[in-house]
Amino acid sequence: MSYDVVIAGGSVAGLFCAREVAKAGHSVLVIEEDFEVGTPEHCGGLVSASGLGDLGIIPSTKTIDSQIQKAQLCAPSGTMLDINAKKQNVIVINRRELDKQIAHQAQKNGAEIRVKTSLKETKQNQAVTSAGTFDYKILVDARGVSSIIQKDRTGTLQSAQYEIYADWIQKGLVEVYFDSEKYPGFFSWVIPAANGIGKVGVAGRGINAIQTMEKFLESRGKHSTIRKVFAPIWVNGPIDEFVAGNTVIVGDAAGQSKPTTAGGIYSCGVGGVLAGKAISSYLESKNTNDLKSYQKSWSQKFGKEFEKQLFARKMLERLDNTTIDKIFSAITPEMISDISNNDDFDFHTTAIVKMLGLKGSLKIAQTIFGGEIRKLLN
Ligand SMILES: Cc1cc2nc3c(=O)[nH]c(=O)nc-3n(C[C@H](O)[C@H](O)[C@H](O)COP(=O)(O)OP(=O)(O)OC[C@H]3O[C@@H](n4cnc5c(N)ncnc54)[C@H](O)[C@@H]3O)c2cc1C
């Protein structure tokens, strides 16, 4: 069988791409190797409501688990900072439902989706899959981190995320724990779905994710685990070329998740949408510049912010616990209130700059990172 576009990977990036290609009237097949779209869920589900709106998603009651009221950041010493998150309108969504909602949009526009179908190889404009061979004009690689790590392993961190029942999980409260010894270059987290149910996760460079998770849970108290996910996360930012010949790379496969938190629903989803639009234009014009416009438009939106996030990541990887504690203890209530009232969940390096006190009295970061720190401010 023959399609204008074959998309390998039926998650946010691939499905948004399929929706846009189908909307423009081109034939598109999405192949997903798992047996169900949205499962297994490898995501905390934190996303801004405005980001979802940009992507053309009005979350259904099934899709939204809860709304975040507060983010609590915890230093190695135990110092806590509470950020009021109401203004940022961050929600916890059920990824299993969100992915199905996008799949439905894609299907309604004319896309065909096949599950339990895995891309094995490509040759001469043919996708060889576990369910047969399909001809294409454009192949989209939306296979997530599993695709990018075939080329480069250095940008991945190990993560574990368990879905648990525990009395200590509070609806509306996201918890983030920094400790450079336990979670080098990252943190552990608690994301509530409701009171008493949520996801806890750990990630870090070179950690044993299972042991680190068990220790974190032990420190928190009684719980019951209902699902375990182990997955690498990509934190090295975008790859150099999103388009190679007639292959277009989107989402995590193109390194489009945030270098700071590895959050990718929004930025990978936008990658899918922009790629879908560019592919549609190319199919009509046959002008390769149209295809290439995808990378330009994604970079215009996220390029600068991701460069800053990459720099913030470099800093985080170099901070020891004493320095993290010092930074925490120098953050004032005024800084917290400024972040709570003015900052953006999707473009959050301005909040990082404020926390490091770069525009205030604290000069710790400048002492540690010297002139390099300007990269965050520009
Ligand atoms: C533990 C964890 C927690 C996270 N929490 C958050 C969060 O709270 N908020 C947030 O915004 N982001 C979060 N993320 C990141 C987010 O999940 C990803 O950035 C996002 O899912 C990327 O979407 P994608 O479509 O590019 O790739 P993926 O969602 O990884 O999808 C790739 C798809 O390709 C399929 N596939 C792979 N190989 C093949 C093949 N050969 N043939 C066919 N199909 C194939 C896979 O089965 C999968 O369905 C988290 C990630 C992890 C690991």
Side-chain angles (χ1 to χ4, degrees), residues 220-365:
R220 293 305 307 265
K222 208 170 159 211
H223 61 273
S224 295
T225 307
I226 51 173
R227 179 180 287 118
K228 295 183 177 183
V229 170
F230 302 97
I233 50 175
W234 177 260
V235 291
N236 256 17
I239 58 172
D240 292 338
E241 302 288 344
F242 292 175
V243 179
N246 63 347
T247 299
V248 175
I249 310 166
V250 297
D252 264 351
Q256 290 172 347
S257 48
K258 292 178 197 164
T260 43
T261 62
I265 298 171
Y266 177 51
S267 46
C268 291
V270 169
V273 170
L274 295 175
K277 289 189 166 150
I279 291 167
S280 304
S281 302
Y282 166 77
L283 288 170
E284 280 143 36
S285 70
K286 302 286 179 292
N287 181 343
T288 51
N289 285 334
D290 282 338
L291 210 51
K292 287 184 179 154
S293 69
Y294 148 52
Q295 180 151 7
K296 229 185 249 168
S297 35
W298 188 90
S299 304
Q300 259 164 15
K301 194 167 179 72
F302 295 105
K304 209 157 185 198
E305 170 70 13
F306 270 47
E307 265 175 40
K308 289 185 187 181
Q309 289 193 11
L310 269 171
F311 181 67
R313 148 146 310 284
K314 257 203 213 160
M315 296 201 318
L316 180 65
E317 298 213 2
R318 278 154 59 182
L319 295 178
D320 60 16
N321 280 349
T322 312
T323 315
I324 299 176
D325 284 334
K326 273 192 200 161
I327 290 173
F328 265 70
S329 59
I331 293 173
T332 62
E334 291 72 31
M335 285 151 80
I336 292 293
S337 147
D338 183 15
I339 290 166
S340 301
N341 289 319
N342 300 315
D343 285 311
D344 184 330
F345 177 75
D346 295 309
F347 297 87
H348 55 227
T349 45
T350 45
I352 294 174
V353 168
K354 285 172 191 164
M355 287 209 185
L356 290 172
L358 299 176
K359 286 184 174 159
S361 56
L362 175 66
K363 294 288 182 266
I364 291 176

Side-chain angles (χ1 to χ4, degrees), residues 31 40 77 87 95 114 119 127 132 148 151-152 158 171 186 203 270 282 288 291 308-309 337 347-348 360:
I31 54 169
S77 63
K87 280 214 166 140
R95 266 299 292 274
R114 292 185 182 216
L119 178 71
I148 203 167
K151 299 164 209 149
D152 177 7
Q158 282 317 310
K171 185 178 178 187
F186 215 78
V270 169
Y282 166 77
T288 51
L291 210 51
K308 289 185 187 181
Q309 289 193 11
S337 147
F347 297 87
H348 55 227

Side-chain angles (χ1 to χ4, degrees), residues 8-14 31-34 42-47 95 99 117-120 142-146 159-161 189 191 229 231-233 250-253 257 261-266 268 345:
S11 182
V12 279
I31 54 169
E32 167 52 51
E33 74 177 1
D34 278 319
H42 53 274
C43 185
L46 267 190
V47 67
R95 266 299 292 274
D99 288 17
T117 304
S118 169
L119 178 71
K120 300 290 179 202
R143 290 173 299 163
V145 177
S146 67
S159 84
Q161 185 173 264
W189 63 93
I191 300 175
V229 170
I233 50 175
V250 297
D252 264 351
S257 48
T261 62
I265 298 171
Y266 177 51
C268 291
F345 177 75

